[in-house]
Amino acid sequence: MGIEPISTLLHENRKFPPAPAAASGFSRWHIASMDEYRQLHKKSLQDPEGFWASEAGCLSWFRRWDKVLDWNPPDAKWFLGAQLNACFNCVDRHVQSGHGDQIALIWEGEPVGPQTSHPSPGSAYAKEPEIRRLTYRDLQIETSKVANVLRRLGVKKGDVVTIYMPMVPELAIAILACARIGAAHSVIFGGFAPHAITERVTDANSRIIITADGGYRRGEAVALQKNVEEAIGQLANTGHIVNHILVLKRTGHEPPSQRFHSGHAPAAIGASPTKFHWWHEIEALVSDACPCEPMDSEDMLFLLYTSGSTGKPKGILHTTGGYLTYVNTTCRLAFNMIPDSGQIFWCSADIGWVTGHSYVLYGPLMNRVPTLMYEGAPNFPSFPGGKGDRFWDIIARHRVTQFYTAPTAIRTFMKWGEELPARHDLSSLRLLGTVGEPINPEAWIWYHEHIGRKQCPIVDTYWQTETAGHICTPLPGAIPTKPGSCTLPMLGIDAAVVNEQGEELPANKGGLFVIRKPWPGMLRGVYGNRERFISNYWSRVKDPASSTPYYFSADGARRDEDGYFWIQGRIDDVIKVSGHLLGTMEVESALVSHPMVAEAAVVGMPHDIKGNAICAFVTIKSKWFADNPGQQPGEELRKQLAAHVAKEVGALARPDQVRFAEGLPKTRSGKIMRRLLRDVAAGVEKITQDTTTLEDFSVVAKLRADEE
Ligand code: WTA
């Protein structure tokens, strides 16, 4: 597989030095100079066990470890023999240390009145947004209640609880309640379609789903419970039984057919062994006290499914002690979190993605910095043309100090124009972050100037679901930034760019991004699939001297003459659409499940806002031509297919382009030539690949003609 350099980044050489803490509005930096970073990084690699033991000391443990690390590549165990609880570290210990009345979580709902568009720029909303502020004590009570509800429904330590909810405080409460009793959570992003629920529930052998009747998004009530019911219907064919569905009432919009009496299935899904319960009804029956279950450091904390290059999504497995230690440290250092200093942290990611797990929830709560959660879209209410300023309004009203979002969002804000942020007082901001994909330098500069008023350091954080937390990121007080580069490795991370032989490459040569030593946040496995764990992450590159496998992230990268990392993007068959990973296979499977599609190949194509958009090449069954004599497939079928993908996988996966082909270009062994299709999709003039292995040259000719 080749690595295509992002040529625009190669010429970027602007450098921004970190400002003194006072000038940035921080009382101090955790790491205040490049020298300090270099020294600490060196020390952390020389003595990883000493370094991580001291970091783990920031958490509360019920029992201390006997041994810091057991490394039996590719299997790592961290803090052996130790016991702790994730919910205790996020909630109870703050109550015990006298901070029970401090705000832990600030939530803002989306609805602001009946109108769907702004009355006029800058004017007040028709209705004040619903805002809830929960203290650590509130969270202790609420998580205890839900923990007791889960127990009552038969959930035991080690069980997997599936959570499919909107961005409401109860989502955070549900997750922490699982952790409280030692059940693993498996959160499914609320934008996914029923099929995603079926797949994940079966793979995780999960017997309980927590959901809501709906959630608000762009003024609409999104029917989550309905999707769960559809998934239950699909599960009936697989023999997997979900015993209980716990439903939070959020929108109250469910149609009469969906109603149920607690303990029964809704009429709409007929005779089903699955019992449905209203959250508020069953919660009223339990006590609000529930101690935190002591968990072994290596007990599973959660599963989070992520797209892979082949087949089904992978259940990435994280355990308790290592995950919490890594997230606590990275959150503190990258965002310079300091409790009791007036900070309010807002990460705009949905909790359904790893960014939300680590940096909406666990990281800020452990660091005792209030975390903000917003339910809805950045353009609700919207101005004409679909523009919105809700994010800037939220930052101004809540006095947000650190703001963390994705490049795709920043590019959208750029398109909407700087007049929108300019209307709001963003002076509370002290630090900005980005995550999810490489940020193009123009977007970086725009973010710096129009959101950060040229005063806020920007941390471009590179990491993955598998890594639990930041792997490369500027540390804001220490590392000068260059727009488009995630700069240098986190403390304790031995990152490198190597060739297929595992040899480190000289400056500015593109290669494979690897991590050569274990770190506490590393994934412990792919749930129920040892083979995928090994083949996906640990098979490609080895230490040339010792043959120890390196962790391979599936990203291409280069380092510049200052040792800065520039991530060039995925080199496997997954596509980052608006910062979210989608497997080409998932989209292709959805396409071929359509009765008129014979074969499909899906590739990413460059897109100004989304980073990448999906381009699907499909061949149509002869049945279609028989049904439509004398016609060629056209716009109507294109729309149908795009809508079909959105329904099967989720709106994120809707292809921007559907192109019909007579046949797909394949090698002699039958493998679809994706790189060639990528070039076609990107409109690259010349075929750059060696096409001599093509089975059917006329196919390429046909596709290229299609472009004209
Ligand atoms: C990409 C998201 C460049 C990368 C936290 C990685 C990035 C994948 C960056 C993981 C960044 C994430 N610069 N690329 N700052 N952050 N990526 O698992 O391709 O949803 O492999 O985790 O996102 O995506 P995931």
Side-chain angles (χ1 to χ4, degrees):
M1 259 184 271
I3 300 159
E4 292 122 40
I6 300 175
S7 52
T8 52
L9 298 186
L10 292 173
H11 307 293
E12 180 57 51
N13 48 21
R14 280 168 285 193
K15 208 165 175 175
F16 294 79
S24 298
F26 286 96
S27 54
R28 64 190 158 97
W29 295 118
H30 286 298
I31 296 178
S33 72
M34 192 67 166
D35 278 352
E36 194 182 344
Y37 161 75
R38 289 216 187 273
Q39 252 178 29
L40 281 170
H41 187 252
K42 192 161 156 217
K43 231 171 95 187
S44 70
L45 295 193
Q46 279 167 350
D47 176 21
E49 300 190 25
F51 174 75
W52 288 116
S54 129
E55 285 301 313
C58 302
L59 304 183
S60 264
W61 300 78
F62 299 141
R63 185 182 184 283
R64 244 185 118 76
W65 49 91
D66 306 315
K67 194 176 172 204
V68 176
L69 170 66
D70 187 6
W71 177 222
N72 186 10
D75 297 301
K77 292 196 168 96
W78 286 90
F79 312 114
L80 286 91
Q83 289 196 320
L84 77 170
N85 181 285
C87 188
F88 186 86
N89 273 284
C90 289
V91 177
D92 295 57
R93 71 165 162 151
H94 302 318
V95 179
Q96 285 187 8
S97 64
H99 301 99
D101 295 329
Q102 280 189 0
I103 302 297
L105 192 153
I106 303 166
W107 173 81
E108 178 160 323
E110 191 194 71
V112 281
Q115 85 280 5
T116 51
S117 57
H118 248 292
S120 64
S123 70
Y125 299 130
K127 170 181 150 269
E128 283 304 303
E130 189 186 352
I131 292 169
R132 285 166 63 190
R133 292 188 175 81
L134 285 86
T135 62
Y136 294 100
R137 196 185 315 283
D138 294 334
L139 281 182
Q140 186 179 41
I141 292 169
E142 294 304 321
T143 57
S144 297
K145 283 202 256 178
V146 177
N148 284 328
V149 166
L150 293 175
R151 285 229 168 107
R152 198 182 166 102
L153 297 178
V155 177
K156 293 189 188 60
K157 189 170 169 171
D159 288 352
V160 178
V161 175
T162 301
I163 302 179
Y164 180 70
M165 290 182 77
M167 281 287 282
V168 292
E170 285 79 4
L171 166 56
I173 291 165
I175 291 175
L176 294 169
C178 289
R180 204 165 177 95
I181 58 169
H185 50 82
S186 166
V187 182
I188 305 176
F189 170 57
F192 277 133
H195 179 66
I197 308 175
T198 315
E199 216 167 42
R200 287 157 173 78
V201 162
T202 329
D203 189 78
N205 193 25
S206 171
R207 305 278 166 190
I208 174 162
I209 303 177
I210 310 182
T211 188
D213 55 349
Y216 290 102
R217 184 92 196 160
R218 271 187 206 100
E220 307 269 320
V222 183
L224 295 172
Q225 185 192 341
K226 198 170 129 279
N227 287 345
V228 172
E229 287 172 14
E230 232 174 88
I232 298 293
Q234 293 173 7
L235 281 170
N237 309 324
T238 68
H240 179 87
I241 292 178
V242 172
N243 298 324
H244 299 284
I245 314 276
L246 184 61
V247 188
L248 176 82
K249 193 172 225 160
R250 163 74 184 130
T251 53
H253 283 172
E254 85 281 23
S257 69
Q258 310 293 341
R259 291 221 184 101
F260 58 91
H261 302 293
S262 237
H264 297 277
I269 63 166
S272 160
T274 308
K275 294 192 171 65
F276 281 65
H277 313 268
W278 280 121
W279 174 304
H280 58 275
E281 286 182 10
I282 191 163
E283 200 189 53
L285 308 175
V286 299
S287 113
D288 61 6
C290 174
C292 292
E293 185 75 29
M295 302 298 288
D296 285 347
S297 175
E298 282 297 332
D299 277 341
M300 173 160 67
L301 177 61
F302 67 84
L303 290 178
L304 185 56
Y305 283 82
T306 179
S307 295
S309 48
T310 50
K312 294 187 305 176
K314 301 169 279 192
I316 303 302
L317 195 158
H318 283 291
T319 57
T320 313
Y323 173 83
L324 294 177
T325 300
Y326 195 66
V327 170
N328 183 62
T329 298
T330 53
C331 195
R332 182 182 82 246
L333 296 181
F335 303 126
N336 206 49
M337 284 201 169
I338 303 172
D340 306 315
S341 68
Q343 293 182 349
I344 294 192
F345 180 77
W346 182 22
C347 163
S348 74
D350 192 286
I351 288 183
W353 306 103
V354 73
T355 307
H357 279 56
S358 299
Y359 301 114
V360 174
L361 209 57
Y362 286 113
L365 288 178
M366 280 188 287
N367 277 286
R368 198 159 51 76
V369 163
T371 182
L372 191 139
M373 234 177 124
Y374 166 56
E375 179 182 33
N379 56 348
F380 188 85
S382 66
F383 295 123
K387 300 174 183 184
D389 65 349
R390 186 68 181 269
F391 275 22
W392 319 130
D393 180 46
I394 288 176
I395 290 174
R397 275 188 289 110
H398 293 279
R399 306 299 293 159
V400 170
T401 47
Q402 294 112 312
F403 176 57
Y404 190 35
T405 194
T408 183
I410 298 166
R411 289 191 294 264
T412 306
F413 300 142
M414 275 175 84
K415 196 180 83 181
W416 290 345
E418 50 261 25
E419 317 77 73
L420 295 184
R423 258 204 289 271
H424 298 271
D425 173 11
L426 304 182
S427 63
S428 58
L429 285 173
R430 294 172 199 162
L431 177 145
L432 302 172
T434 82
V435 57
E437 54 180 318
I439 180 164
N440 42 314
E442 315 86 84
W444 195 104
I445 297 287
W446 188 91
Y447 198 31
H448 178 65
E449 289 180 355
H450 298 289
I451 308 305
R453 313 170 325 276
K454 299 189 183 169
Q455 285 173 26
C456 300
I458 294 186
V459 295
D460 172 356
T461 62
Y462 165 69
W463 60 294
Q464 310 179 290
T465 306
E466 292 84 346
T467 68
H470 310 141
I471 288 300
C472 286
T473 175
L475 297 181
I479 302 180
T481 48
K482 300 184 192 184
S485 168
C486 58
T487 74
L488 296 169
M490 178 54 66
L491 300 186
I493 295 296
D494 185 16
V497 175
V498 301
N499 61 16
E500 299 277 353
Q501 288 68 48
E503 295 152 352
E504 203 159 357
L505 290 169
N508 292 317
K509 265 197 86 81
L512 310 171
F513 184 95
V514 295
I515 305 175
R516 298 181 290 198
K517 288 205 177 71
W519 70 104
M522 62 197 277
L523 78 165
R524 301 298 196 269
V526 171
Y527 193 67
N529 201 333
R530 176 79 183 165
E531 196 277 319
R532 260 182 117 181
F533 173 59
I534 307 280
S535 65
N536 265 284
Y537 305 104
W538 302 99
S539 297
R540 182 106 178 217
V541 209
K542 291 186 177 60
D543 179 333
S546 67
S547 289
T548 307
Y550 288 161
Y551 172 83
F552 173 45
S553 73
D555 284 302
R558 70 179 172 93
R559 291 187 91 162
D560 66 15
E561 48 292 337
D562 293 333
Y564 276 37
F565 286 84
W566 298 77
I567 304 296
Q568 296 171 333
R570 305 286 299 202
I571 62 171
D572 54 1
D573 286 331
V574 304
I575 310 176
K576 273 254 146 173
V577 181
S578 302
H580 300 314
L581 276 188
L582 285 170
T584 51
M585 274 290 286
E586 290 167 86
V587 182
E588 287 165 6
S589 311
L591 282 165
V592 294
S593 74
H594 187 279
M596 291 303 163
V597 175
E599 233 186 347
V602 159
V603 295
M605 58 178 189
H607 186 281
D608 284 352
I609 303 289
K610 301 179 184 182
N612 295 287
I614 288 180
C615 174
F617 293 89
V618 291
T619 62
I620 299 301
K621 283 186 183 158
S622 49
K623 184 176 179 325
W624 188 89
F625 293 95
D627 290 352
N628 300 276
Q631 289 187 42
Q632 289 298 314
E635 210 36 50
E636 194 188 327
L637 187 60
R638 267 197 192 100
K639 277 200 187 128
Q640 250 186 41
L641 295 182
H644 181 73
V645 172
K647 181 171 161 283
E648 291 295 310
V649 186
L652 259 180
R654 184 190 292 273
D656 273 37
Q657 270 195 26
V658 176
R659 301 169 64 148
F660 300 111
E662 259 169 31
L664 298 174
K666 290 182 188 157
T667 61
R668 289 200 189 284
S669 62
K671 211 171 171 311
I672 292 176
M673 301 181 80
R674 287 175 189 286
R675 274 203 284 159
L676 190 142
L677 290 178
R678 270 202 287 271
D679 276 1
V680 174
V684 173
E685 264 339 299
K686 203 160 69 51
I687 299 179
T688 48
Q689 273 75 42
D690 173 10
T691 52
T692 53
T693 50
L694 256 193
E695 200 159 56
D696 182 0
F697 288 95
S698 66
V699 169
V700 185
K702 174 81 180 71
L703 285 168
R704 306 224 75 103
D706 190 10
E707 269 174 84
E708 260 111 53

